[in-house]
């Protein structure tokens, strides 16, 4: 029994060493031990941190030519893969991509695609640098892209992006916008071969989400709520003057939060040189300008009995409704740019439908009050109970007389 313990210890140690060796060998085969067909050799390689991907390359410092082989393992035949260099920034937009997938007829398609916006279908186009010897293969659930790149002005530290997504027939579809698919970016040192991770993409995605949330809540929800309060609650005698303070609180809060969202958008724009969403940007600037104009217009608001108060009311409501319409339009443009999960867009549509339905019901009730009031006046009775009396309100057009705050 005593002599069995050393033997058991030796067997355990031997099995542990064999296990460690096999594990290290299996991991080494991912990159350094991989053998390419036709005896192709790449001196440097790196295991990329996500999406079962690996980059192999030879870099000629004298000519600045980069010969690459991008491997994407564990990939089905109905999916596309891409590897890209971003010469101007980090992340997807601005990247110069190599795309490959197996077509429905079994042949491989490989091409170049410059990514200029978030909502892309990876359209074919020329890149900002020369690409030659472009080819791809698919075997054993692995796609490999081969290419030679001319990087005369990109230095030895590159921003790289890699990605995968589904196919609809032979058309690439949008990739998943969470998890590993938004972490697949980093740096590649062509001299040392080291592939670093990049937090810039995650940070930028967070800023985009903050930008979207702030502007949706402010311009897209609080602004319409403030307008509904001003247009309908003041019909009720019990709501005067609280409706006015609620209206001001709602609109001022919307403006403050909206300015924060607008500022976040400016920051994002400064970090994405050469990438602009012109319509979204232009509408955003118009909204900020009109919103600021509304705030300062309060400082010169005439008193209710002033002869210019009617013109001020017309201006105030015209600008206010213009802001609301442009806000909703721009929010949907933002959804098209960010392409979040559909539930967020559906949720906002639900909010807009609820606000619009409330406005329709309140509008109908206001007409009912106006008709009831006119009928009461024609019969020589007192005005309809619960409705404010006082100065005529030119906004409604219903003949309802309400008190101006």
């Amino acid at each position: 029994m005593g002599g069995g313990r050393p033997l058991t210890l030796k067997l355990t140690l031997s099995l542990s060493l064999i296990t460690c060796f096999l594990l290290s060998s299996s991991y080494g085969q991912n990159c350094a031990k991989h053998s390419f067909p036709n005896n192709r050799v790449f001196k440097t390689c790196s295991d990329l941190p996500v999406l079962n991907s690996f980059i192999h390359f030879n870099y000629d410092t004298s000519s600045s030519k980069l010969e690459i082989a991008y491997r994407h393992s564990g990939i089905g035949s109905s999916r596309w893969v891409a590897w890209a260099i971003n010469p101007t920034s980090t992340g997807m937009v601005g990247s110069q991509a190599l795309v490959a997938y197996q077509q429905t007829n079994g042949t491989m398609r490989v091409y170049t695609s410059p990514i200029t916006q978030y909502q892309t279908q990876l359209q074919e186009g020329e890149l900002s640098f020369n690409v030659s010897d472009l080819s791809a293969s698919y075997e054993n659930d692995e796609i490999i892209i081969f290419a030679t790149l001319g990087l005369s002005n990109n230095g030895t530290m590159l921003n790289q992006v890699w990605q995968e997504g589904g196919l609809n027939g032979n058309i690439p579809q949008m990739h998943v916008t969470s998890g590993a698919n938004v972490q697949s970016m980093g740096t590649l040192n062509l001299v040392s071969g080291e592939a670093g991770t990049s937090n810039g993409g995650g940070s930028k995605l967070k800023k985009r989400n903050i930008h979207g949330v702030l502007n949706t809540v402010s311009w897209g929800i609080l602004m319409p709520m403030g307008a509904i309060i001003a247009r309908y609650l003041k019909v009720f005698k019990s709501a005067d003057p609280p409706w006015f303070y609620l209206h001001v609180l709602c609109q001022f809060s919307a403006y403050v939060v909206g300015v924060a969202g607008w500022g976040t958008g400016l920051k994002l724009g400064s970090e994405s040189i050469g990438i602009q969403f012109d319509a979204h940007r232009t509408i955003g600037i118009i909204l900020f300008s009109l919103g600021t104009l509304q705030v300062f217009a309060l400082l010169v608001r005439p008193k209710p009995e002033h002869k210019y108060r009617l013109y001020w009311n017309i201006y105030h409501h015209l600008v206010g409704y213009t802001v609301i319409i442009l806000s909703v339009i721009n929010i949907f443009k933002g959804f098209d740019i960010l392409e979040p999960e559909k539930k967020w867009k559906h949720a906002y549509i639900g909010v807009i439908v609820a606000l619009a339905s409330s406005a329709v019901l309140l509008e109908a009730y206001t007409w009912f009050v106006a008709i009831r009031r006119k009928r009461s006046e024609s019969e020589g009775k007192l005005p309809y109970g619960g409705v404010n009396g006082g100065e005529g309100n030119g906004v409604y057009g219903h003949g309802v007389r309400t008190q101006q705050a």
Side-chain angles (χ1 to χ4, degrees), residues 148-385:
T148 300
L149 315 177
L151 304 175
S152 56
N153 297 318
N154 286 278
T156 59
M157 182 67 78
L158 303 180
N159 296 316
Q160 64 172 340
V161 184
W162 60 100
Q163 195 55 261
E164 68 167 350
L167 293 169
N168 183 6
N170 290 326
I171 301 176
Q173 302 299 298
M174 182 65 184
H175 63 78
V176 176
T177 55
S178 60
N181 292 84
V182 296
Q183 301 169 6
S184 53
M185 63 186 74
T187 58
L188 181 64
N189 190 315
L190 299 181
V191 177
S192 67
E194 182 180 357
T197 58
S198 173
N199 294 324
S203 175
K204 188 174 291 185
L205 178 63
K206 184 178 180 180
K207 290 178 183 176
R208 288 199 299 265
N209 290 337
I210 292 174
H211 170 73
V213 170
L214 291 177
N215 286 302
T216 300
V217 171
S218 58
W219 303 104
I221 297 178
L222 290 177
M223 281 285 182
M225 285 180 60
I228 289 174
I229 289 171
R231 181 170 174 84
Y232 300 113
L233 288 191
K234 60 184 175 182
V235 174
F236 303 98
K237 185 176 182 179
S238 59
D240 188 23
W243 72 263
F244 176 75
Y245 300 115
L246 284 174
H247 170 66
V248 171
L249 177 63
C250 221
Q251 302 303 74
F252 184 73
S253 299
Y255 177 75
V256 172
V257 177
V259 169
W262 185 72
T264 308
L266 292 180
K267 179 64 175 176
L268 285 169
S270 67
E271 294 176 352
S272 305
I273 300 174
I275 306 301
Q276 287 188 359
F277 302 100
D278 292 331
H280 185 68
R281 179 175 178 269
T282 301
I283 295 176
I285 293 173
I286 293 173
L287 286 173
F288 171 76
S289 302
L290 292 179
T292 303
L293 192 63
Q294 285 282 71
V295 171
F296 283 102
L298 291 175
L299 302 177
V300 294
R301 185 179 63 144
K303 293 183 178 180
E305 65 276 6
H306 198 281
K307 62 179 181 179
Y308 292 125
R309 179 59 180 263
L310 174 62
Y311 303 106
W312 188 92
N313 283 342
I314 293 173
Y315 145 79
H316 183 65
H317 296 109
L318 180 62
V319 172
Y321 291 132
T322 300
V323 166
I324 292 172
I325 294 171
L326 289 178
S327 296
V328 174
I329 292 173
N330 216 29
I331 286 168
F332 280 106
K333 285 187 176 294
F335 279 124
D336 292 338
I337 292 170
L338 285 177
E339 293 189 340
E341 295 183 37
K342 291 183 178 179
K343 63 181 181 180
W344 300 113
K345 187 174 183 178
H346 293 162
Y348 181 65
I349 292 174
V351 171
I352 291 299
V353 170
L355 290 173
S357 300
S358 300
V360 169
L361 292 175
L362 289 169
E363 186 76 18
Y365 180 75
T366 303
W367 277 99
F368 168 77
V369 170
I371 294 172
R372 181 73 174 267
R373 177 188 174 278
K374 286 184 177 180
R375 184 179 301 170
S376 298
E377 287 183 345
S378 64
E379 295 175 356
K381 297 180 180 180
L382 293 174
Y384 181 67

